[in-house]
Amino acid sequence: MTKKVIVITGASSGIGEATAKRLASEGNQLVLGARRAEKLQAIVQDIQAAGGEATYIVTDVAKLADVQALADHAIKTYGRLDVWMNNAGLMPQSQFIQGKIDDWNRMIDVNLRGVLNGIKAALPTMRAQKSGQFINISSVAGHATHSGGGVYSATKAGVLMISEALRAEEAAAESNVRVTVVSPGAIATELTDSITDAATKAGTEKFYNAFAIAPERVADTIAFAVNQAPDTAINEFVIRPSKQVM
Ligand code: NDP
């Protein structure tokens, strides 16, 4: 199998970390972005110790200049961009009456604007190469919502819509740029740490403790999409714990 240059945002924990390690173990070249340098450095060391290739650059996906620097770093280090995984995200859920506008804005900036920044930074290179793949992380919360989940769901539904339009545009352009959107259910990561409302956090953690599955399950799914023949695009996955109802 040919090595791919794979960029992952939000690679310092959870789904991003598990996917980076999985794809590096298959011989790909990984470029990791997130804000916590020490975490990224430790993950790169783990990958290298296991015989893999990886590099990182501190990246805030809400800042286009950072995201462009991440793309530039990948191209400078490894010469091309084969896969761009828009994964960075946070989920500070709460009810609207609480008026947590800072949380709402952070979700829009990271979960939505971060994805657009990734597309802006990576798509021109993929078009020029006439090959590439976006892996955009949505959520089951992008397909349905509930009390307290309005803004998070709006950002994740936005990721679904952005992904579908990007898919259609690239298919029409015959650019060989594939788009895969992944909608996970409850996955055991640091995501619940981002919840600022104490009652919502306690309730969500209780649910996650009972139901959540390992992020490696999502990594397996992503590896399956990445490893398809170039003429085949898997456009969407929904992956939940077997016993998760909603
Ligand atoms: P984690 O909290 O473990 O990981 C989130 C990652 O995003 C971290 O690496 C964090 O790194 C990074 N991140 C947060 N803000 C920024 C930013 N401004 N710039 C760059 N990186 C940032 O949670 P998950 O692994 O669960 O989350 C990954 C994705 O999966 C998210 O989009 C989430 O919404 C989605 N998802 C998760 C589900 C779950 O149940 N866990 C279910 C459905 C979807 P750092 O703090 O170092 O910047």
Side-chain angles (χ1 to χ4, degrees):
M1 196 178 301
T2 341
K3 277 185 191 179
K4 289 184 173 172
V5 178
I6 300 177
V7 178
I8 301 180
T9 70
S12 61
S13 63
I15 293 169
E17 175 181 357
T19 306
K21 288 179 172 170
R22 166 64 191 261
L23 294 173
S25 76
E26 295 183 352
N28 299 295
Q29 295 166 313
L30 272 294
V31 181
L32 312 184
R35 293 164 306 167
R36 290 172 294 176
E38 67 291 352
K39 288 260 191 186
L40 292 170
Q41 199 173 14
I43 294 163
V44 165
Q45 279 166 2
D46 287 350
I47 289 173
Q48 290 170 344
E53 284 185 80
T55 177
Y56 77 90
I57 184 163
V58 170
T59 308
D60 181 343
V61 296
K63 296 178 181 157
L64 177 60
D66 278 22
V67 180
Q68 189 61 58
L70 177 64
D72 293 347
H73 180 67
I75 293 162
K76 196 169 154 224
T77 310
Y78 296 124
R80 50 187 291 117
L81 274 183
D82 296 307
V83 179
W84 185 284
M85 179 168 158
N86 281 311
N87 167 71
L90 70 162
M91 187 184 67
Q93 297 187 331
S94 59
Q95 297 202 357
F96 287 109
I97 191 64
Q98 293 174 275
K100 286 183 171 279
I101 194 126
D102 288 348
D103 284 351
W104 305 345
N105 285 337
R106 282 198 305 138
M107 282 189 275
I108 292 166
D109 281 346
V110 177
N111 301 2
L112 207 49
R113 206 183 307 282
V115 171
L116 294 172
N117 286 342
I119 293 168
K120 164 80 175 151
L123 185 57
T125 299
M126 291 182 182
R127 271 279 182 117
Q129 290 172 173
K130 276 203 151 271
S131 74
Q133 182 171 16
F134 284 93
I135 309 281
N136 293 335
I137 307 301
S138 177
S139 170
V140 295
H143 297 252
T145 196
H146 55 84
S147 164
V151 179
Y152 182 69
S153 284
T155 63
K156 292 302 187 178
V159 173
L160 288 179
M161 294 302 128
I162 289 165
S163 301
E164 174 55 14
L166 179 63
R167 183 202 66 73
E169 290 173 18
E170 293 312 300
E174 299 188 11
S175 66
N176 302 313
V177 175
R178 305 187 293 187
V179 180
T180 302
V181 59
V182 182
S183 296
I187 312 296
T189 67
E190 297 178 11
L191 193 68
T192 55
D193 293 353
S194 66
I195 303 172
T196 60
D197 175 62
T200 305
K201 188 166 193 280
T204 309
E205 281 175 346
K206 192 170 169 214
F207 176 77
Y208 271 65
N209 289 339
F211 290 101
I213 55 173
E216 285 74 16
R217 306 286 191 277
V218 183
D220 288 348
T221 304
I222 291 167
F224 182 71
V226 167
N227 290 329
Q228 293 302 305
D231 64 359
T232 302
I234 296 185
N235 298 124
E236 188 169 1
F237 289 108
V238 179
I239 170 173
R240 283 187 181 86
S242 305
K243 53 184 182 173
Q244 182 177 348
V245 177
M246 294 289 286

